[in-house]
Amino acid sequence: MPKILDVCCGSRMFWFDRHNPNTTYMDIRSGSFDFTDRGHTRTVDIRPDVIGDFRSIPFDDSTFDLVVFDPPHLIHAGENSWLARKYGKLDETWPFDIRQGFTECMRVLRPNGFINFKWNEDQIKLSEILDAAGYQPLFGDKRGKTHWLVFSKEG
């Protein structure tokens, strides 16, 4: 079975199997956050297996067959807003952070492994992210606001 690492798992929203035994879920955050938004109470539950920063992944080189990289997409959101708590937030160093994240994801990826990258370009365009990343995707979705791209590490 492949070894999978999700480096920004958050509340595992897009996972169908949120407890996949082949996956290590990592995030810089941990805890439950309740918010009232427009009269509705919402809860975000972030429970990673490993507390870690995608810019400095705490695993050895060439450990995983697949890395899922879904970093925060927001640069404009209040620190305690629902969106910032749910998705996290980037700051003005985001180009460096994204490049460092890709470098780290490639480092922990085995030769011939893949990175599945997700990006929503509501605040930062995909073209800017690809310029910052330093790697070119093999293929992916170029339409709409949310993009899924696949990168590979050559053997």
Side-chain angles (χ1 to χ4, degrees), residues 31-56:
S32 270
F33 309 99
D34 291 325
F35 295 93
T36 301
D37 181 39
R38 299 182 185 120
H40 297 92
T41 299
R42 301 176 183 192
T43 301
V44 174
D45 194 29
I46 300 169
R47 301 281 177 214
D49 301 320
V50 174
I51 302 292
D53 188 327
F54 69 78
R55 297 167 295 186
S56 181

Side-chain angles (χ1 to χ4, degrees), residues 1-146:
M1 295 304 285
K3 285 186 72 173
I4 304 167
L5 174 65
D6 183 341
V7 297
C8 301
C9 70
S11 60
R12 307 179 193 184
M13 289 187 323
F14 64 73
W15 282 90
F16 288 98
D17 181 356
R18 293 181 179 190
H19 304 285
N20 183 285
N22 301 316
T23 303
T24 300
Y25 299 94
M26 184 181 103
D27 205 289
I28 199 167
R29 308 166 297 154
S30 181
S32 270
F33 309 99
D34 291 325
F35 295 93
T36 301
D37 181 39
R38 299 182 185 120
H40 297 92
T41 299
R42 301 176 183 192
T43 301
V44 174
D45 194 29
I46 300 169
R47 301 281 177 214
D49 301 320
V50 174
I51 302 292
D53 188 327
F54 69 78
R55 297 167 295 186
S56 181
I57 299 173
F59 292 100
D60 292 335
D61 296 357
S62 302
T63 301
F64 296 95
D65 301 295
L66 171 64
V67 176
V68 177
F69 188 23
D70 179 14
H73 308 122
L74 303 172
I75 53 175
H76 305 293
E79 289 300 320
N80 292 313
S81 72
W82 164 249
L83 288 174
R85 289 293 195 149
K86 186 173 182 180
Y87 298 112
K89 184 178 169 185
L90 297 171
D91 60 25
E92 66 277 351
T93 64
W94 71 261
F96 171 80
D97 296 337
I98 293 297
R99 181 171 296 254
Q100 186 61 30
F102 269 98
T103 299
E104 280 292 285
C105 288
M106 285 292 181
R107 180 185 65 76
V108 301
L109 194 62
R110 289 184 178 143
N112 301 311
F114 296 96
I115 296 172
N116 192 350
F117 177 73
K118 179 178 166 270
W119 186 256
N120 180 289
E121 65 176 355
D122 188 56
Q123 296 183 4
I124 303 171
K125 296 291 181 200
L126 179 63
S127 59
E128 294 175 80
I129 292 300
L130 292 175
D131 286 345
Y135 297 92
Q136 287 300 310
L138 287 173
F139 60 90
D141 176 19
K142 296 181 187 180
R143 294 183 281 180
K145 285 183 118 176
T146 300

